[in-house]
Amino acid sequence: MSVAITSPEFKQNATEALADPQLQAALAKAGPGFVGKRRDAIAKLPEFDALRDSVRDIKNHTLAHLDLYLERFEEKVREAGGQVHFAVDAAEAREIITGICQRLDARTVTKSKSMVSEEIGINDHLAAAGITPVETDLGEYIIQIRGESPSHIIAPAIHLNKDQVEADFRRVHTDLPADRDLVEPTALLAEARGELRQRFLAADVGLTGANVLVAETGAAVIVTNEGNADLTQTLPKAHIVLASIEKLVPTLEDAHQLLRVLARSASGQDMSVYTTFACGPRRALDPDGPGEFHVVLLDNGRSAMLGGTLKEMLRCIRCGACMNHCPVYQSVGGHAYGWVYPGPMGSVLTPAMIGIDKGANLPNASTFCGRCEEVCPVRIPLPKLLRHWRQQEFERHLTPAPQRYGLKLWAFLARNGWLYRPATRLAMRALSLFGRDKGRFASMPLAGGWTATRDFPAPEGDTFQAQWRARKAAGTTSRSPAP
Amino acid sequence: MTASSASDAASSRPPRVGLFVTCLVDTIRPSVGFAAVKLLEDAGCDVDVPRQTCCGQPAFNSGDRVTTRALAEKTIAAFESFDYVVAPSGSCAGMIKTHYPELFVGEPDWSGRVERFCAKVFELTSFLVDVLGVTRVEARYDGTVTYHDSCSGLRELQVKAQPRQLLASVEGLALTELADSDTCCGFGGTFCVKYPMVSDAIVGKKADNILASGADTLLAGDLGCLMNMAGKLQRQGRDVAVRHVAEVLAGMGDGPAIGAPAPAKKG
Ligand code: SF4
């Protein structure tokens, strides 16, 4: 389904998410697993950091010469008998894909997980044209039958628990015996497999994303753990790859380096279970493969990012490590972010795609703890890019009024030390007098958000600077204890 | 040691250290400032505290470049004459050391000056250990403590081993490690004001880990994080004393903990 934008309601979304015990349990279960697996995988690969630098450099080089590599890629796809379509925005990409499907009289389109397809909202568009999209990744399949959107870029149904999935399967798979045993997760998996098998065979078109595009060979590389992408792309009449332009790398060797950091950062695997290089349609001697091969290359605002601060975001390989390590994502889950891409990477990308006026909450909803940047395999300085958006927001006067005035007053004081020092001194002495007995405040004007759930410590008394000056004037040593 | 001029200076006279006391220590908990002064003086420094306000981080993180820049210029002017600038906070030291340079990019008049300045700026425990070579302190603290690694100090300034090394020399102190000690406490400066519910959820997990550690005292190197964690623990009615690491290292860990009542005034 296409994702309605609720980023302006982030606070409301987050509050609801925090009050949702099922979501909280799901997050508590999944988050630490990702973190631990990544840590273990990296510990076994001493050259991991060197590899990260190398992949960062490969991406930077490709982005600096993107026009050249796009041209090379198109040429290679054409040589292999495929076709490349450039889509400036989501609408164009939807038209191209729907056009291909209609020309082939497609009734169903199988899909392998693709965040770009969420970005352009292709499912609703296909359905409106009378074409049934079928998600074949297990997680995507689950959220499709629930009418939801992914809450994580590599684990789309991470917000759900097994019981919820079981209930959905019983609701949707009505042709199966009602008393069947679905207690084991493997039973759910087997049931989804059975359902999807028929869909794979019936599909007219297969739509996949791509993790990497290789300019040297015109290959679209896709990794999965379920093998669903392989069935999606080999069985139907046509295979459409939908990918954004920054997925390109120059050579096969570059792609290999990228894959080595991708799976480790994402799921802590050395490699994903299936890694498939799709290169043109079926050739005369091939035992199988699609009759047509199309690559839809989506820009959707990315080339505009190339020239500015946000350029570094285009290195992103969508591993999800930043959200797995983000204290905010781990508290509220992906849906709270209110659009397709959640977590730190989403908080940088989303404002670029839906506008900072609608997306302003996201770059603000970060503690700047820096863990995302620390784990990002391509070393994207995510806090810096989030700060870039805060600056845009501030400079366009979009900052909410109370914050803006608070900041202005504080800035005025801080820039005028002769006023700041007596003002803080007075305030602290007063607060200290009120709070001395208990040592803290259980409620405080202007700090209601804090004191709703936390105490606030009372100041000790006079400011450090005032005490220091008094001691210096009195010639007492700085070591004497506070009076 | 980064500044060669400083080592030259050190050969003839004690290093002159400007204490960047930080807004929160200045206003909420001055005793941390005095603890820092004691540690620096014990290590042979000549300490002074020039008039100061804020490093500019709240403005920087709110996207207000003009105010940030103005405060950066003031801070540089106030502290430039010292051999070193030391803050009892990884967050403020990190702001200056890692972010000031980007405020002056492309300004040849400033960039060399800012670079020289930033090279002299340190967080307190890393200054003591990495620059002055301090390996132990004369202090006593009877208790089991656990240590939270505040984010900026950890990730911008690599403060991790230094406070632990110094704590190991405190008599009577047992250090027990905190699970996920390097995960954010949810303070985040203006974040805790803008998104208090999310901030509370994050500090709630931190409080669980602190309790699970079994420690009777929680230490960290940043007052903002400490106030956040203390406030949560106290609201839950937990009996964990929360202190800045400098207090314990300076042997000043016998005063009231953060958020604890002040003793009745002595005559
Ligand atoms: S920003 Fe970095 S960590 Fe986050 S998804 Fe992209 S590559 Fe992975």
Side-chain angles (χ1 to χ4, degrees), chain A residues 382-402:
Chain A
L382 291 149
K384 177 178 147 192
L385 303 184
L386 295 172
R387 205 179 282 113
H388 162 83
W389 280 124
R390 294 192 191 181
Q391 196 184 337
Q392 297 291 310
E393 184 199 17
F394 184 84
E395 284 168 6
R396 293 185 207 176
H397 299 268
L398 296 169
T399 313

Side-chain angles (χ1 to χ4, degrees), chain A residues 361 414-415 454-455 460 478, chain B residues 31 41 53 74 195 228 235:
Chain A
N361 259 312
R415 288 173 72 164
R454 279 160 281 194
D455 290 352
E460 288 177 333
S478 47
Chain B
S31 54
E41 288 184 347
T53 62
K74 274 180 171 291
Y195 302 97
N228 182 38
R235 180 60 58 91

Side-chain angles (χ1 to χ4, degrees), chain A residues 153 313 316-322 345 376-378 380 382:
Chain A
I153 61 172
M313 195 61 223
C316 176
I317 58 174
R318 304 290 191 268
C319 71
C322 54
M345 57 80 75
C376 176
V378 283
I380 298 173
L382 291 149

Side-chain angles (χ1 to χ4, degrees), chain A residues 163-232:
Chain A
D163 293 346
Q164 289 169 297
V165 177
E166 180 183 338
D168 289 322
F169 278 17
R170 291 196 189 280
R171 175 175 57 80
V172 176
H173 302 157
T174 45
D175 50 333
L176 297 172
D179 60 351
R180 66 197 187 277
D181 183 358
L182 288 177
V183 174
E184 290 302 314
T186 45
L188 291 171
L189 189 64
E191 181 162 317
R193 283 229 167 101
E195 286 291 317
L196 287 170
R197 178 99 10 204
Q198 307 153 26
R199 312 294 191 92
F200 278 125
L201 294 169
D204 305 295
V205 171
L207 178 63
T208 70
N211 296 91
V212 195
L213 301 172
V214 186
E216 180 182 46
T217 62
V221 186
I222 184 158
V223 301
T224 68
N225 281 330
E226 297 164 18
N228 56 309
D230 301 81
L231 294 174
T232 303

